[in-house]
Structure formats: structure tokens, C-alpha cells
Amino acid sequence: MASREFSWMIGGPQGSGINLAAETLAKAFSRGGYFVFANIEYHSNIMGKHSFYRVRVADREIRSHLDTTDLLVALDEETLFGDYHHNPEFPTHPGHVHELAAGGGIIFDSQFEKQVKEKLEDRDLRLYPLPYLDLLKEALGKLGRESEFKKFDIMKNTLALGATVAILDYDLDFVSEIIRQTFTGRKAKVAELNLTALETAHDYARKTFGDDFPHRLPARKRRDQILMRGAQAVAIGKLKAGLGFQTYYPISPATDEAVYLEEQQRKYNFVVVQTEDEVSAINMAVGAAHMGVRASTSTAGPGFSLMPEGVGFAAMTESPGPVIFLYQRGGPSTGLPTRSEQADLRFALHPSHGDFPHIVVACGDVVESFYDAFESFNWADRYQLPVIVLLDKFLATSYRTVPRPDASKLKIDRGLIYKPSDPRRDGYLRYAPTETGITPRALPGQEGGIFWATTDEHNPKGHISEGIEHRLAQMEKRMKKLQLAAQEIPSPYKYTLHGPQGADLTIVSWGSTKGPILDALSEMNADKKVNFLQLRLLRPFPVEEIAKILGKAKQLVSIEANFSGQMAGLLREMTGIRIPHLIVKYDGRPFSQNEIAEGVEKVLAGKEEKVVVSHPGG
Amino acid sequence: MASREFSWMIGGPQGSGINLAAETLAKAFSRGGYFVFANIEYHSNIMGKHSFYRVRVADREIRSHLDTTDLLVALDEETLFGDYHHNPEFPTHPGHVHELAAGGGIIFDSQFEKQVKEKLEDRDLRLYPLPYLDLLKEALGKLGRESEFKKFDIMKNTLALGATVAILDYDLDFVSEIIRQTFTGRKAKVAELNLTALETAHDYARKTFGDDFPHRLPARKRRDQILMRGAQAVAIGKLKAGLGFQTYYPISPATDEAVYLEEQQRKYNFVVVQTEDEVSAINMAVGAAHMGVRASTSTAGPGFSLMPEGVGFAAMTESPGPVIFLYQRGGPSTGLPTRSEQADLRFALHPSHGDFPHIVVACGDVVESFYDAFESFNWADRYQLPVIVLLDKFLATSYRTVPRPDASKLKIDRGLIYKPSDPRRDGYLRYAPTETGITPRALPGQEGGIFWATTDEHNPKGHISEGIEHRLAQMEKRMKKLQLAAQEIPSPYKYTLHGPQGADLTIVSWGSTKGPILDALSEMNADKKVNFLQLRLLRPFPVEEIAKILGKAKQLVSIEANFSGQMAGLLREMTGIRIPHLIVKYDGRPFSQNEIAEGVEKVLAGKEEKVVVSHPGG
Amino acid sequence: MAEPSTLTAKEFRTEIWNDWCPGCGDFGILNALHMALAQLGIPPHRTAVFSGIGCSGKTPHYINAYGFHTLHGRVIPSATGGKLANHGMEVIAVGGDGDGYGIGAGYFINAGRRNLDFTYIVYNNGVYGLTKGQASPTLRKGLKTKSMPEQAIIDGINPIALALGAGYTFVARGYALETKSLANLLARAIQHRGTALVDVLQTCPTYNDLQTKEWYAGEDRPDKQSRIYKLEENGYDPVVHNPADEEEIVAKKAQALVKSYENGEKIPVGVFYVLETSTMEDELSERNPEFAKTPLAEADFSQRDVSPLFDELA
Amino acid sequence: MAEPSTLTAKEFRTEIWNDWCPGCGDFGILNALHMALAQLGIPPHRTAVFSGIGCSGKTPHYINAYGFHTLHGRVIPSATGGKLANHGMEVIAVGGDGDGYGIGAGYFINAGRRNLDFTYIVYNNGVYGLTKGQASPTLRKGLKTKSMPEQAIIDGINPIALALGAGYTFVARGYALETKSLANLLARAIQHRGTALVDVLQTCPTYNDLQTKEWYAGEDRPDKQSRIYKLEENGYDPVVHNPADEEEIVAKKAQALVKSYENGEKIPVGVFYVLETSTMEDELSERNPEFAKTPLAEADFSQRDVSPLFDELA
Ligand SMILES: Cc1ncc(C[n+]2csc(CCOP(=O)(O)OP(=O)(O)O)c2C)c(N)n1
Ligand SMILES: Cc1ncc(C[n+]2csc(CCOP(=O)(O)OP(=O)(O)O)c2C)c(N)n1
Ligand code: SF4
Ligand code: SF4
Ligand SMILES: [Mg+2]
Ligand SMILES: [Mg+2]
């Protein structure tokens, strides 16, 4: 029987429409009741450089990609064999044919047929040469626009999509429906063009190619699920939390979230400001938070490197927020702007000079992104401090089918607000030391609530004071709030132990590795007893709880996408426990399910202290 | 016999000339062959707020101040009894009389005589009421300028100095000489005025006050020593290292160094640029370093909070520097601008997003400041990375007598420079991976050396590449340099174990606590076996060496001037060893010798995990 | 202003110790601001004063109103966030010339583009006061104040010219020691709809020994005439009368530019340029009328329904 | 220029793959720069090109000269450091309009004060190209390019006006698609002693569908006349002839300011303003003649004697 799951990949130069094709396909399978995971790799470039998009589909839950591809769609030659033509001195990748699974197939431009056959003759592959140009002309011909074919080179992607659906024997209507929904109004003409191309290629492929492709996916029962990526989950979570003010300065991979929010400004009453830089972005957000709205900013490493001063400002003045969404990308410096990494942890933990309180939480997947985005604003208000939510490019941009999150139980908690018994009385002390460290905050504009906030050390009224007594009291007040947060934040927001208790091996990890780790575990656990401790709240660190779990573990391995093992360092700092084996990846690409499995195998097999996983790829 | 050492303090509103008086006195004793330590406390204010200056003098080596004062000079009432008049709602300090040692004395304005007597009647103190105004008029009268007395209120400081010398029975000529050297040229008139005031008060005190003050200091043999503070030591070390380019944006307590350098620009060929902000300061320095000069910038926490992006820039492009001098002050945020703290360590260790190499070194005293300033430029050039030198307000501004540093053996090492065999050949690979990670650098302007530096990930030529292979190679290349540095940097620059081997208690600390710790140890060691591990190189961290020393220690205590025990955290992260007792101080004031002793006593006595030391003071 | 205000300057004062140097020009600005606020009759609790860091940055502590003493050079972004969060508040931003034109120059410029309705007052004393007298960006080339080891080798900035280029719709200059006329000028700036810059020439007796009270008063001049004169007294008209007329706008800017370079023997104070045009709040209100109705900080978002957003992802 | 240069544009090209979009105006600027460098005959290894981050920021990789592709918005500080470190090098700074006038606005302004001898070329395409088409600071209010969800609600910046206010001594505007005249303009800017700004109108066919090649060419206009015209053709004289004459300086600035607001149906290119005056290097050399003799990067400091400094502390 043909397999009910497969991995598909489309590759081509940037600007050639691979996003549209892949996202359409992903949505089509999601609507058809399948589980889908889709993720993209692309250069920091607008047009011309190689990019590719993976779509993995299955009839069971999946949360990651594989290194192997069952069906590869090549919109250009580079996708097949790499960029040695473009970059003869220092080529950057070998193409993707080496990633094809045995029995897999390639859809490619028939003009390369001879070459492809020669190079791949000894591989167990199905070749699906597609005469892109002829099919394009044919499709346009049906609409009487054949002569315009040069303008429509971009529709190669749709042709490939049609062929894909034919080869997989999926229901074309799902695809057509999505194309119709994508191009509406003034763009209805574009829909028509694409639908014709889709069908033309579909017909051609049905007629021309065999029906022996080993993966076949009949439509299943529709499920109430959505196809969502991290950036969207965050944006919706923020809106639900009552976001009033969002700032951003464009930067990959954070911009997607802000642009999504920008588009909602007519539907919801809130403001998105594109600032002149990230210094402005954070400081505007602090100003707004102090003024009483829920405020946020979103950025990536280079932008966050401009925010330390603003974070300290918020912490020192006990501003209720902002919440900062830090989308990690390949560093250091400008680094790999459109690639993924988890190397900003240490910086996020100590993001300015001095000792001050802030909260750091890392989302593991798209569902957690929604809830963390929501909850983080409650923390900012309750504890009157800045909160950093860590995500990364992989999480932000990867689509995954998930059940629709239940927003009905979420409660907004704005923390303690000052209510003067007599507003004319002049005795409000905004920074009066308290048991918990928290002092009710007044909302500017409110009578009787006048206070002063200063980034200098201050007395209970908020005026500058360098007095030793005030200094000690205020330092203790501020830092105490972290203790309170550590007590109050519910444990699922702190960490989760996935898998069996008392396993032989415990994986420790954080952030977006959750998906591939869970997928790898579900493959592996049949014969091996492995569990997985996912850390979510990184500051205040749940020292006792984590130490207990780690203390009980038989063997420990950490997994993270950075060079130095930043989380492993944090673990040791907090608990003294040294993780003897690190699995790291720092090539700017996210862990695949296989790579996790491979890393774990290596750890189990040998004594390697540091296993670096990486595979040549586009 | 009267004691040959004493602690003197002068207090008064800012702008009342306490600096001049204290530094003159310090220099006078230094020239007289004594050991001197002098340090100041002042507000972030220009005129009016309370400040005070301590001068400690002894006939044996001293490196710190005491909490007790033998002779207090009060230029105003606040110095005696605190600021409750000014700040009735939230006073900031109780004045200084409580700090007086038994048998000590107070020089104060006779107008407060009644009040002082009343309040201090049951204390064993000598009162030296000085009729400031009468003496001023008398002095001015000698020069026929009595009527101008209102303009010369500022000379109270000199009057107090005269009385001080009389009470201590020191040689007034030392003081006169210094005053003459301070006011030269157009200011010679000022010298005359001050000298007259000095003598007038001296005469008055000799005549009026008893000669029973328990501290008396006859002049000793002159020694070839200098009186230097950290900011000066750094500046001179930098000049000796061949500094070509210095940037700064004004900020306490870093400005002193830059201003000192600015004044040398006609004597030495180099440029100091006051930039528009710290972002510009670091980026100009990176640009200059790449271009081939030794470049540096100096700042404090808030300024450093604007530099992360620039640090990443330097690290990613393997710029030979800059060297960043980070003068820590009370944080977080604007914090306590003119106070001291050691709370920027963690931030300095992870000062930007991503994993990248940089060196962090912390100077322990004024002599180390000179050598570290010099050596840090060699490291920047050898390892082609940014270097952070940590100091603090206490170290920067405290004067200490030290032997003249020997600059003759210092060698400038500019690291590997590219020398093309044939400059017309076009094959230079600025970022070619090598065994050690270091690639010879070309000097821009040189023929055959053209290269490209980019903050994006790059190929060996320096052009942008997102290729996995280049990514891995470059990450490894960059990080390897840290390993090399760890091997090559000589051990005295890494750490020093002061005191006996096999002690019962080992103190671990870093930075400017060195002085008070050594002083406390020399008092303590008679009956207790305590030694002191001073950490100097904090990144790359000398893991093995430190783990070995700590492993052997019988009992451990850490001492640092911050809330959270940042170094203790680092130690645990690096070695797994948890320091069971922290002595911390976060009131913005530096540790005194007594406070160290007191903290250690508490640790030895009880089981306290965290001992917070702090004393009410100005 | 309809009703005359019943508030007095006193109600805007705080009781805490003011630690500026005796004779500092900042006192003049502070007093003028107290007077202007009282004159306009905005209740203290409906006013928020933001400041940067510097001697000038301490201002909010001396005003009875919500006070935010932020970061060096960041007063504009934080005030902008504050104003957008609650456009029902009167927002006033203050700071030094180093704060605004040096480290804050990027924000100073970009604020001109937004035309948000707030007032920015710059204390222009030619020095970095609180860090002990280094040259500020307004100190001109060749000058050397007493705390500088060398004379300035780079040019001073012309804040008026920059504000014009950046798009400020109200551009003015005041003099700290003429408190009453400064108060009027500040009141006018606060009333202006849109971003208003008031650059205030401020004496710093401690560090600026060049631009002293005496110098402004012209005591060194043979004719002993004050260097300061009022633009309006010479029949200067700063107002763009037809805001739709691009040419008038440009002509008024050019006129203001020329005046702004008078900075030696004659120094004009008063309003250089005024344009009434739509503010950022207007634009946001047009996009979403809800914005106009309730300031964001006062709106209730607890019932937001995000399910349509999930629907789009189905 | 004395001798005609023997260098050709080709010698300034590199072989690597250029990944700008087909038809991008950046190609025009790059070619013009190659031509200008060749024309001036400065050897590649005596030239350093600094850039910010953006599509424009990739320029150094396409030029055979020392190349520093720095940070977003930091090209001016890094180029400034580079030039001061080795004033014997020809330093050229390039970057986008977002880079220079948005995040880099503070440095753009403050560079005007220094008058260091380098050239700054801004690729002005109205958008943030590399981050996919958001509005850049030069995009004017009310405009909406195809990738913006909403029209711009804040004003665009006038870089020429700002440069005049900031003190640039050479202020010019070019057009990317008129390569030859742009090359001449760049050559003139590079030769200018002092900081030269060349704002280059650059088409971004991918994201800016308003200010397109066709739009600049006036194809939408009834008369089909190009919107671009050359200042010099209308007898415009940008040069301050008597640099000591403050009034001439101000008049020339005012004239340039008025011209800079022509930005709709007529868009002037060419030189708006030139002033020959002392550079920062001149000032530093005057302070310490050693500075003039050997660029710092080439000087030998290994024998510095610091003992006099210790003597002062004895
Ligand atoms: C990021 C940062 N850099 C530097 C400082 C130090 N600093 C405090 S006030 C000040 C300048 C004050 O000058 P100005 O803005 O003109 O205000 P003034 O004191 O003259 O009123 C500086 C540089 C700081 N607080 N933060
Ligand atoms: C600190 C920082 N913030 C944001 C970015 C992301 N970023 C890269 S290019 C760019 C803007 C590019 O626009 P522009 O400067 O106009 O150059 P263009 O691409 O249009 O040539 C931005 C915001 C970054 N690299 N660094
Ligand atoms: S230093 Fe100058 S600006 Fe600051 S308070 Fe004193 S006089 Fe005023
Ligand atoms: S996005 Fe625009 S500016 Fe960037 S390369 Fe493409 S056309 Fe040029
Ligand atoms: Mg100032
Ligand atoms: Mg641009």
C-alpha cells in the first residue's frame, strides 16, 4: 500500500513564487484533514538567490521536517545541482537531489532532462520532466493570451503544483479553492490564469506520468484545525491580551508579525508604529506602557542589541512592560538574517548593565506562542517589569496544523492598580517598598495618582535619591518581584517533562527544538526509553524543580541550536549539574527530526561530549 | 606614642572645593614618604549636594579606606548631622559624626559650636571649631583684600587644610609647594591667596588647639612613588600601547580618563573624538581599528548598553579591537551615576546576540589598570577581536601611592600582518580558516591586501555567504581564537592566589575589591588562615586552573559589589562549584577594609548564605 | 482658551530640593513652564512631563504632574509612546541640548515627520552640564568654554534650521532669563496642534563662561544693547496662512532659515515658523475612528474577539 | 585632477555574483561609482568603501577596493573612524535611505558638523528594500507603495534641507539611471574637500511602484517630459564664493532650501550647495602637526615615552 505521508520540497530562485505554491499545497492538505508541517529556507536577498520550501504531510501528528524529500520540485537547475555556476570560487550548496529518498521523484523543467538523467541514472528515482514553457503557453492559449507568455514565467510554480497534485493523486479542488480565495477582487483575473495553469499541468501529469508514486493521499475527513505559524500565533495572542501599542523596526524574521498586526489596525483599535530604529521602538513602548496601555515591540538579534538601555529603563522604573518578542536568527552581528538559531539566550538573560528584574520565556511551538504571547502581558502588568519572549525564525515562519486555540478561558490581569481613597490627598508613594515588592501603580491621567518615575535610583515617591537606605530598599523591592513571579507562575509555563518517567536518557532543550524532538522521540521510543525536559521559563529560573528532575535523570543530553550550549551553561549555573553531552547545531538551519535522532544515536553510541549536527543542503 | 597613621575626611556641598583640599593633602603625604589612599563620594549633581573625600595615610602599604574617621572636616552642617533639613520627607544620610573613631576630632565652623557640643557631649571626641569667616577675613586682610571676603567663601577648604596640618603636626611646606604647583601662570594670584589662608588657619590652629591629637605624622624619607588613580593609569597604559584613536561620549565615571587623554593631544600624536553618542563611539572605534590604528573607547554601564551591536560588529568582522574600557557604576539604568558597583559583569560577558569571541579582563588595582590597559591592545591585535576591560568608579577615582610602573619591558605586539609575496597577485583571503583561527590581516591602503569585511556571515574572501560549509568554518574559526587566547595569555593576567596556600578559608573575588580584601587580610591573617583568589581574566575563563584551586579550598566565600553574585554564578557555570557564602554590597559604595573583615567574620561565625554589608553614611 | 484658568503656578510646583546651581538658567525655564501650565489651566494630573538625562532632565521632579525622567537622548521616543497611548493627556518633553541634538538627534529629526501633538523644550546651554561642561552640539567651532581643554574643532548645530528641514510645524526659540515672555511662548507652543519645538537659550553660569547672562545682555558691546531681540517686534510673520499652498510653506521656511542663522550680535527669539496641518492623531483617527473616541490607555480591550483571525487560517 | 587617469572602471569591478533584482537602480549607482573612481585615478588599494545594511549595503562587495559592510545605520561612524585613522585613504560611505535618514539620522546630522573629507552616497529609493518594501523615511505622507498595508501617515524627510541645516559643505542630488552625469557628480563630490552628501534618487522596481523609471521619465504626464532636470542648466550657482561671508553662506543655503522642496512635477538634480572651508583633518593638523604628516595608521608609536606623565603624578 502506498504511504499516507510524504515530504515535498519546492526550490527555485527568490521571487519565483515558491511560497505561494508551498503554502497553497500545505493549506490544501490541512483542509483535507491531514497534518501538515511546512517550512522555508531563503537567503537575505530579494530576487535570484536559491530558496526552498518543504511541506510535510501525514495522517498523524507531525511537528517538524525531515532531511529527506519524497518529491522535489525544481524551478531551476540550481535546485537540483547547486550554485557552482553562480559562485565558482566559493559555491554555497550542492543542490537537493542528494536529499531525495529512495523511490522519490523530481518534477523539473524538461529542458534539463538529458542532464538529469545522466547524473541520476544510478539512483532509484522517478523523473517527472515538465515542459514548463509549453504548458504555460497551452494554459494561456486557453484564455487567448498565449502571446503574453513571457510575462507569466512566474506561473511555473502553479504548473508544478498541478503536477504535484496529479502525482500524489490528491483532490485538485482543495487547491483550486485556495487559489480562488487568494486572488479576489481586482485580482480575480490572476486566479483565473492560475487555475487554468493548474489544471493544464494536472492534466498533463495525469496523462504523462505513471501512477506508481509510492505516496498517495486520498482526502480525509475535514478537521477543525488551522494552519498557523509562530508569527501569527504571537500576533493573535497579543491582540487577545489587549495589545494597545506595538512598535517595530523592520527586521527579519520579526517583521512578519508586525506586518500582520499592521493589517489588523482597521479591525481592532490599537496602533502599530514603524519607528526610526529599535532604540525608539523600545523607548516608545516603555513610554506607552507607563501611560497605561499594553505595549510591545518585536525584533531580532541586531535590533535587540540596540535595546539594552530601554530594557534597563523599564526595569528600573517598574514599567508594566513592554513585552519584547525576540525572534532569534543566525548570529552574531548581521549574521544570517533569514536563518534560524537559538543563540540569543544568554544575552536575553543579561540584557543590560546592572542587576534588575525581568522575565524571559521561550515558546516551544506555535500553540505555546499564542499562550505565551497572551500570558506575558499579564506578567508584565502583575510584576511591573519588562518581559522577553524568545522565538526564532524557524518557529516564526514554519506552518503547522493545530487545533484552534481556546481563547475563551484566557483572563486579562492588569495587576495592582492604585485607587486613592481621597484623590485630593497628596500621599501616593509609587515606589513604596512592600512585602512582595509590588506597589500598586497609578494610571497617568488619574486624579490623586501623580507620581514620578526616574531611571536614577529613587525614594518611595519616585524622586532621585542616592541615599543608602533608599538604595537598599529599592534594589530589594525590585528583585523581590522575581521571587514572587517564580512562585506564582504556574508550572506548565515553566517546563514540561514529555515522555515516560524514569527514562534511560533525558533530553533537555528549550524553544523551537520541541517539535523535532517530540517527532524524533515518537519514532524512537519503541525500543529506547527517552524523555524530554522542555524548559520554558528561563528567568526567573525554576531552580528547585529543574534540579530535582535533572537529579533523577539517568543520562542527560542537551539539544540546542547554538555553538556554545548556552542553555547547558545556564543549567549548570543554576543547578551545578553539568550536562555531559551537548548536541548542537549552528549552521543556521533548524534541526530536522532525523538530525535529532542522529544526534541522540551518536550520544548513545559513543562518548562524544559535543555532537555537531549539520547536513549539506540549500 | 601617637599613631603614625590616620583617616581623614572632608565633607561639604559639591562645588565647595573638597577635591582640591583632599588631593592636596594626599599628595603632601605621598611626597612626604607616606602611603596614601584617597577616595571620594559625591552625588550626580554639580553644586550643593553632599560630597566627601577620604584620605587615609600610613607608614605601611594601604590600598583601601576605613569606615572610621580620625579627623573629620565639616565644611557645612550636613556633613555633621545629615540632610534632614533639605529632605525632610526622605532624608538620604545621617551625616558623618557617627563614623568618628574614639579619640578622633572634628574641624567645623565655630558657628555650630553650641549645637555640636550638645549633640556630641557624651562622645570621646576632640572638637576643633574654626572661625572660618574670621580667618578668611584675616587672611584676605593680609593682602589688603578683606572687603572681597564674600567672593572667597570657597577658600574654607584651604583653611581646613591648614588646621589639619597643624593638628597632625605635619610639615606645612609640602602643602604649600603643591598649592604653588597647582596654581601657576595666570593663576599665581590664586596661589598667593590660598597660601595666605593656609598659613593663617595653620597658625590659628597651632595656637588654639591642643597638641594631643593621637595621630601625629612627622615627614619621612621621600620615596620614588606616584599618586595615581585608575583612570590615569589606564590612560597612560593606553598611550604606552600606542593608542591612535580614542572615542568617548561623556559619562561618569569614564569621562575622567577621556578628558585626561584629551589634554595629551598636543604632546602625543593621536586623536580623541567626543562623539554624538556611544553607538557612534564604538562604531568609529571599530572603523579605526580595521583601518590599522589601535583604537579604544571608554564608557560606563548606560553607554555600554548602547554598544552591543558594535561589539558584535567587531567580533564578526575580526576587527583588531577596539578595546572597550567599561567603568562600572551603580546600576541598573541611570542608577547611581557617581557611585560604584560591580554589576556589569554578566552583561560584559554576553554583550550582544549570538555566539562570538571577545576577551573580558578585570583590573584589581591601579597598577593592574596600567598593565591591563597596555596588554589588552596586544590581545585585540593578536586575536583580532574586541576586548573589554572592566573597572569601576571606585578604582577609577581612588588615588593610591604606588611605585612608578616599569614601562621599559612592555612590548607592543600587533599580531599577524599579511605580507603578500606579490602584491599584484589577487589571491588574498582575509578570512581563510586556519589551524589557530587567526588569519594574517592586511592593513588597508596596502597593495595586494584588498579584502572585504562584512557583518553578514561570509566566505574566506569576506564576501557574504550563507553556505553551510562557510558558516561552520567561520564559526569555528572565530571561536577557536578564544581557545588560543586561553592558552597564550600568561597566568598572572588570569588570576592570582594571594596569601598562604592551604588556608582555612579562600576568598574569591574580582576587580576593585582587591585593595580592601588585601588590607583586611593583612589585619586578619595573624590568627586566621585566609587566602584570596583574585580573578582577572573572565573570558576566556581559565576553567581548569580555577577549578583546581577551588577544588582544593577548604571553605569558600565570594565577595563582590553587586546584588546577585554575578561572579559566583559564573564560577558555578564554569566549574560547577557553588560558593556557599556570598558577601555582597549593593549600596553603591565601595567595600571598606572593615566591611570585608566584618563580612568574613559573619561568614566564619554563622551559616549565612548571603551576607549583605552596608553602613549608613553620606 | 475659553475660560481664564483658575490654576496658579504654585500648584505646579513640588516641594523637593532643587539641586541646580545657583543662578542656573534652568530656573527661568522651570518658572516659565509653571506659569504656562497655570495659564492654560490644564489640571496637573492631566499633564505628563517627560525628560531626558542632564541637569535639565531633573525638571519633572520639580513639576507637580506625572513625571517621567527617562534616558539620555530618549525623551522623544518615550514621550511619543506616552502621547499615543493616551492622547487625552497634555504631553511635554524637555531635555538638554546634548540630550536632544547630540545623542537624541535621530529622534529629534524623526519626530518632525510625525507631527504628534506634543511640545518639546530644549534647554540650550552650549554644554553638557551634568557631565561637567563638555561642548554640547550647539557650541560653535572655535569656542572654548572654561572646562574644555581645547577649543571646539567642529561646527555647532543650528537646531532651528534642522527642525524646519525635519518638518516641525511650530518652531520657536526662547530665552531662559526672560521668564514672562518665555511663559507666553511656551503656552503658545503647548496650544499648537502638532509637534512644537522651543529651543531655549539657557545660561549655565557654572560651565558656560561665554554665553553668559551678561553676554546675552550685551554688556560687552560698545552700545550695551541686548543681543536678544523679538522676531515679532520687527513685523516678522511666522505663520503659513494657506497650509495648502506649498509655495507659501517653502517661502516661510526659507525666511525662517535665514533668521535662524542670526546668532552673533543679534539673536532673534520668538516664533520662527508655524503650520497648522493634520497631526498624527488625526491620521490615526481617520484610519480607525475608535482611536479618536477613547484614548488607548482608557479603552477596555478585555472582550476582544480574535476568532475571525483564526477563521482566516482555517 | 592633473594627469588623466589610466585606470578604467573595470579595475574597480569584482567578479562575484550581484544579487540585486533585475533592473534595480542600484546598478546605475554602482556603475557610476566605478566610473568616477576610474576617472579620478585613485588606486583601488588606496580606496575604502564603507556601507550600511540593505540592498545598497552590498555595494562594497561589488567594488574592488577595501570594503567594509558594517551595520545598519552605522556607516557614517565607521567611515569616520576609518578616515581619521588613515586620512591618506579615499573614503566613500554608501547606504540606503532607511540606513542613512532613518536609523542613521543622528549620525547623518552630526557628520555635517565635522566636515571630515569623505563622501556619503545615499541610495534613495523610498523603501526599505532588503526588508521587503516598508516605507523609508523619504516616502511622503499619503503615499502607499505596493507592499504597504496602509498609506504613509507621517511625512517624508527632506534630506537636502537637513544636510544644509546640519552643515554639510557639499550637498547634491543625483539620479541613478543617468549614469554618466551621476558619475561626474560623484567624482565632483569625491574631489570636494570636506563632507559631501550625494542623495541619489534610485528606482526599486520590486517594491516602489510609485517612483518608477517611467514616473521619473514623466511618462504619465501629458507632456511626457522627464520630471528630472539639472540645476546647473537653469543657471543655478551652488558655490559660496566668499567662504568668509556669512551672509553669502546663508543666502546660498536659503536658495538651496527652496530648490530642495521641488519634489513633484519638477525634481532638480545636481549640486545644491558647496562651501570650501577647513576640514576636521585641517583642524587636527593645526593642533598637532604630526597628524598631518603621517596618517595615524601608518605612524610608529612603539617608542612612546610616557615617563613625563608619571612625573606629573609624583
Ligand atoms: C547613554 C548615556 N550616555 C551618557 C550619559 C551621561 N550623561 C548624563 S547627562 C549628559 C549630558 C548632559 O548634557 P545636556 O543634555 O546638554 O543637559 P544639561 O546637563 O546641559 O542640561 C550625559 C552625557 C548617560 N546618562 N547616558
Ligand atoms: C539594527 C538593525 N535593524 C534592522 C535591520 C534589518 N534591516 C536590514 S536592511 C534594512 C533596511 C534597508 O532599507 P534601506 O536602508 O533603505 O536600504 P535598501 O535595502 O533600500 O537599499 C533593515 C531595516 C538590521 N540589519 N539591523
Ligand atoms: S551645571 Fe550649568 S546647567 Fe547644570 S545646574 Fe549648574 S548652571 Fe545649570
Ligand atoms: S528590492 Fe529594490 S532596491 Fe533591493 S535589489 Fe530589488 S529592486 Fe533593488
Ligand atoms: Mg546642555
Ligand atoms: Mg531604501
Side-chain angles (χ1 to χ4, degrees), chain B residues 227 239-240 243 265 267-269 276-277 279 284 293 309 404 445-446 449 451-456 463, chain D residues 45-46 60-61 63 66-67 69-70 74 77 81 89 107 110 114 287-288 297 301 304-305 309 311-313:
Chain B
L227 188 66
L239 283 172
K240 182 67 199 164
L243 180 72
Q265 284 178 98
K267 292 184 231 157
Y268 297 94
N269 181 20
E276 55 273 51
D277 66 13
V279 172
M284 275 194 199
V293 302
E309 197 196 18
R404 192 183 283 260
Q446 148 186 11
F451 66 84
W452 293 267
T454 171
T455 56
D456 281 281
H463 290 308
Chain D
H45 71 275
R46 299 302 299 170
H61 298 282
I63 297 180
Y66 284 93
H69 180 192
T70 72
R74 314 303 174 223
M89 297 284 284
Y107 314 105
N110 277 285
R114 290 191 197 97
R287 187 152 82 197
N288 190 330
F301 297 132
R304 260 197 197 146
D305 179 11
L309 299 177
D311 292 342
E312 288 172 13
L313 301 175

Side-chain angles (χ1 to χ4, degrees), chain D residues 26 53-56 72 95-100 122-130 134-138 202 204:
Chain D
D26 288 359
I53 298 285
C55 297
S56 43
H72 188 44
D97 46 357
D99 197 82
V122 179
Y123 297 34
N124 181 350
N125 58 7
V127 296
Y128 280 20
L130 194 55
Q134 298 83 3
S136 89
T138 62
Q202 173 232 324
C204 167

Side-chain angles (χ1 to χ4, degrees), chain A residues 466, chain B residues 13-15 42-50 337-338, chain C residues 17-21 55 58 62 129-130 132 207:
Chain A
E466 304 188 20
Chain B
Q14 268 164 230
Y42 62 105
H43 279 77
S44 178
N45 157 259
I46 301 304
M47 271 194 194
K49 289 216 162 174
H50 178 59
T338 57
Chain C
W17 179 18
N18 186 316
D19 71 358
W20 286 328
C21 307
C55 297
K58 296 179 180 176
Y62 308 137
L130 195 54
K132 300 189 190 270
Y207 293 119

Side-chain angles (χ1 to χ4, degrees), chain B residues 565-582:
Chain B
Q566 299 193 0
M567 176 209 65
L570 175 68
L571 276 180
R572 195 169 194 204
E573 177 188 348
M574 291 293 158
T575 67
I577 295 169
R578 181 171 163 274
I579 310 275
H581 304 283
L582 310 186

Side-chain angles (χ1 to χ4, degrees), chain A residues 226 236 240 260 268 370 404-405 407, chain C residues 304-314:
Chain A
I226 58 175
I236 301 174
K240 183 66 199 163
Y260 179 90
Y268 298 93
F370 172 76
R404 189 184 285 260
Chain C
R304 256 193 201 152
D305 179 12
V306 294
S307 56
L309 299 176
F310 286 134
D311 293 342
E312 287 172 13
L313 302 175

Side-chain angles (χ1 to χ4, degrees), chain A residues 515-528:
Chain A
I517 292 174
L518 287 181
D519 279 355
L521 284 192
S522 72
E523 299 271 288
M524 231 165 11
N525 259 356
D527 58 317
K528 292 188 199 80

Side-chain angles (χ1 to χ4, degrees), chain B residues 7 43 57 63 67 125 167 192 250 280 282 287 364 394 444 572 575 580:
Chain B
S7 281
H43 279 77
V57 179
R63 322 157 185 85
D67 283 330
L125 293 176
I167 292 167
E192 197 191 353
S280 184
I282 180 94
F394 178 51
R572 195 169 194 204
T575 67

